[in-house]
Amino acid sequence: MNRVIPLLAFLLCGGPCVGLLAQSATIDNLGYLDPSSRHATAYGVSPDGATVTGEATAPNFATNGRFHAFRWTQTGRMQDLGGLAMITGVRTAGTAVAGNGVIVGHSEINASLHLRPFRLAAFGGMQALGTLGGANSYAADVSDDGDTIVGSSSIAAGRVHGFRWQGPGAGTMIDLGTLNNVVGASYAEECSADGSAIVGYSWNGSVNRACLFRPGQPPLDLGSLNGPGGFSIATGISAGGSLVVGYSQSASPGNHAFSWRQSTGIAALGTVDAAVGSSVANAVSSDGRVIVGQSANNSRPGGSAAVWIDGQPRQLWDLLVTDYGADPAPWTSFGQVFDVSRDGSVLVGQGTYEGATSAFRITLRQNNPPTIAPPTPVAVECNGGVNTVVLSAQANDPDATDRLTVTWGVGGVVRQTNSNVVPGSNVTFSYNYPDGATPVWIGVSDGKASSAATTRVTVVDTRSPIVVVTADVKTKVDRGQVFASKVNLGTPFVDDICDPAPQLTNDAKAKYRIGTTKVTWTVRDKAGNIAQAVQRVIVKNDPPLASAGSNVTQTTTAPSVKVKLNGSLSRDPNGHKLKYLWKAPGAKLTGAATAKPTGTFKVGTTRVTLTVTDPAGAKSTDVMVVKVRAARPARTAATLADASVRESQLNALDSYQRGRGDSLSGEGLSLAASALALGTLAGNETGANEEVAVSPQEMTSYLTLRAAASQQARMAGDRFYQSFLVSGDENALAASMYAYYGSGLGFADLASGDVHEQLVEDPGERDLIFGP
């Protein structure tokens, strides 16, 4: 019967952990060769725990009363191995199994009940190994490769010596000798995995002592728990031969199981029940961690089969129930464990099953804890609070049939649980992470054991914030100052996808000088990223307005006159105090750096320049004219003007008559009556041509004469104006205006400014000339 006992429920812990009951046990009843005579004992197990051998009641046991060796496998179950002799009632027993399936043991070979060791390959018949010269021998153990067999054999003298048989093939049996070569027995009980070291016991002349046998070397006495006079027997050896187990007489009552190491010597393993001092060690795992045997006890039900794990004695029954959560029923007891697999996970021996003595195979299945392969730590750019990251972790378990639960935790809180996960599967987890570094915990459980791992998701901010300044600020200087202090820079537009309130600073000034000043705005987010923008502050200084005053005209009979200049109407829009500078070439100025200087001007026209400057260096200039006339008799001027008019009239009449002919002499005489006739002639492109048809040649001659007349009128205007300047006669001025207007060529270069000024000062005269 095969019973698999599940673990207790496992509670997932908040970090790497393994449950105390992260294991299970399978208890196999190996069955019987004769169901009617149920009795079997398992003596040996293969290194991998898959094959078991021992003895069981043979068919028709009630008739022949014998046991047969058996081979047990999970697929073939119990198989009767028969014996070396085909005789009724032959008794055989299997004692050990090699790694390749070779089984060794012993078998009766005749009616005299003589024994011989046998070697039975996985496929083939039994091979008898012989003796050391005596009548009987038996095999106790075999190396992992099946080619080294150890046991004991009678010799010719009738004593028993341990042997080492070396195969394959016919093989050779070597006598292991005795302690100190004394007359007495020796026994070989077990060999190391490679067969190079053998343990057993030998008579030393007074008692049996546990021995370590090595080929070519004398047996090594392993000592006793009771000193030189105590006996001891070695029954098991680790794979490398470094650890020997067995039992020994002890100072306390009963025999005690022991362990021996060359470095420490012999040491008691202890007993399950301190009140009962009897214990036996039969075999040990390769690494020495698990030792099996028997330890008497009075306080616990379930038999005396015992297991020492890491040196701690445990009753097998109690170990199954307490540590592995197993219910051994219908087994009622386990009497003794005879062998253990190399890894210590499979135990074989004898117990009581439903009232029958039965062979057991117990598998202590150490549940393999699951593992989780955490994702590599992730760094992502923040996205304004929506920092969703998908992680993937692979859940693994050496026990492929397990189904796993994967749990994801963030901030100490379970955020996601995935159940029924097949080992080797990738499990994903999506979560929206805050800015900064966030630990992520991933746990995995198979219901019996669990493990966990961590990773980290870091939301980073490497992008600079945005800052956009307002438009350039344009302002004027403070009144009366050369700077502006009341400047409103406004507030820039600031944005950062990760920081709702980045820090904004600037290097603004308390005072801004005239011109352009750059203000740098700096925005820094909580991650330390910065951005800058430049805003310009433009301070304008309005230039002053210079006013040199009105033009001055004076007539004098003296060489010069004094004129009081007045620039007090000059002003500054920004309220600055102005500096004055007057210049008048040819004149002598007193107080040229004041608003009202005095100048001495000679006869003639003098241009006077005023320049005003504010404290910022802005300037403005204005010009006025001072005219000083020499007084002359008015009649002389008038005579000159009359002569000029008459000359102009005669020239105009002559030009007209030569251009148009006598037919219109009446009109020509009318035009010649004043200077205006010159303008009519010079400015009219068609004139009388509309009345009299003319040839192209006549038109060309006319245009030529018209240009000459226009120039003549201009010259007449200049002469009239010069006459006006000398005499002051307004008739001469009027004549010059008519001549200029009529010529179509504008005012004379010399006199145009003066004529314009005269017309502005005397609107009535302007209307007289040009019409209202």
Side-chain angles (χ1 to χ4, degrees), residues 278-484:
S278 177
S279 62
V280 174
N282 291 324
V284 60
S285 63
S286 292
D287 59 6
R289 290 191 60 249
V290 180
I291 301 171
V292 298
Q294 183 182 52
S295 178
N297 69 83
N298 293 329
S299 60
R300 295 176 177 84
S304 56
V307 180
W308 286 261
I309 299 177
D310 293 325
Q312 298 299 315
R314 299 293 302 277
Q315 182 195 24
L316 177 59
W317 185 281
D318 180 62
L319 178 72
L320 292 172
V321 173
T322 304
D323 290 19
Y324 288 84
D327 178 8
W331 294 87
T332 55
S333 68
F334 300 109
Q336 189 165 187
V337 183
F338 287 106
D339 201 7
V340 60
S341 62
R342 293 292 186 212
D343 65 2
S345 65
V346 179
L347 316 178
V348 297
Q350 182 192 79
T352 302
Y353 183 87
E354 294 181 342
T357 300
S358 304
F360 64 75
R361 175 182 178 269
I362 297 175
T363 302
L364 301 178
R365 186 173 295 106
Q366 301 294 327
N367 178 69
N368 293 296
T371 59
I372 192 77
T376 303
V378 176
V380 297
E381 189 72 27
C382 72
N383 193 28
V386 187
N387 308 314
T388 302
V389 178
V390 178
L391 299 177
S392 178
Q394 187 178 70
N396 296 290
D397 194 321
D399 303 324
T401 59
D402 284 353
R403 292 298 175 263
L404 310 176
T405 299
V406 177
T407 304
W408 299 81
V410 178
V413 178
V414 174
R415 306 293 182 178
Q416 177 178 302
T417 300
N418 301 88
S419 303
N420 203 33
V421 176
V422 176
S425 299
N426 289 315
V427 182
T428 60
F429 170 57
S430 179
Y431 189 75
N432 186 29
Y433 293 88
D435 295 347
T438 301
V440 180
W441 178 80
I442 313 105
V444 60
S445 171
D446 62 2
K448 311 174 187 70
S450 69
S451 61
T454 60
T455 188
R456 185 178 300 274
V457 174
T458 304
V459 179
V460 299
D461 179 8
T462 63
R463 290 177 293 194
S464 298
I466 297 172
V467 55
V468 180
V469 298
T470 57
D472 293 344
V473 177
K474 297 180 179 180
T475 187
K476 293 184 178 181
V477 294
D478 292 356
R479 187 163 187 79
Q481 304 294 334
V482 294
F483 57 80

Side-chain angles (χ1 to χ4, degrees), residues 513-668:
R513 300 192 64 82
I514 296 169
T516 299
T517 301
K518 293 181 179 180
V519 176
T520 301
W521 291 87
T522 301
V523 60
R524 182 187 301 271
D525 63 20
K526 60 185 179 183
N529 302 307
I530 65 172
Q532 292 182 322
V534 174
Q535 183 180 23
R536 297 189 306 170
V537 176
I538 302 171
V539 178
K540 182 182 178 183
N541 175 46
D542 293 327
L545 299 176
S547 177
S550 301
N551 293 339
V552 175
T553 302
Q554 290 189 10
T555 301
T556 181
T557 58
S560 62
V561 296
K562 287 188 176 181
V563 178
K564 185 72 172 180
L565 303 177
N566 186 0
S568 61
L569 293 181
S570 299
R571 62 187 182 88
D572 187 88
N574 300 313
H576 291 139
K577 185 177 181 181
L578 300 176
K579 293 181 179 180
Y580 296 84
L581 179 61
W582 296 84
K583 291 183 179 181
K588 183 178 181 180
L589 297 178
T590 301
T594 64
K596 297 180 178 181
T598 300
T600 301
F601 295 87
K602 297 178 181 180
V603 174
T605 300
T606 303
R607 293 172 63 87
V608 180
T609 302
L610 170 63
T611 300
V612 294
T613 306
D614 68 9
K619 299 180 178 182
S620 179
T621 300
D622 190 27
V623 177
M624 57 87 65
V625 176
V626 175
K627 298 176 182 179
V628 179
R629 299 171 177 170
R632 293 183 182 181
R635 183 59 188 166
T636 302
T639 300
L640 291 175
D642 290 343
S644 298
V645 170
R646 287 195 298 272
E647 183 179 358
S648 176
Q649 288 173 339
L650 292 175
N651 288 335
L653 179 59
D654 179 68
S655 297
Y656 181 80
Q657 288 176 343
R658 285 189 287 113
R660 294 299 301 270
D662 295 335
S663 60
L664 296 178
S665 59
E667 182 180 353

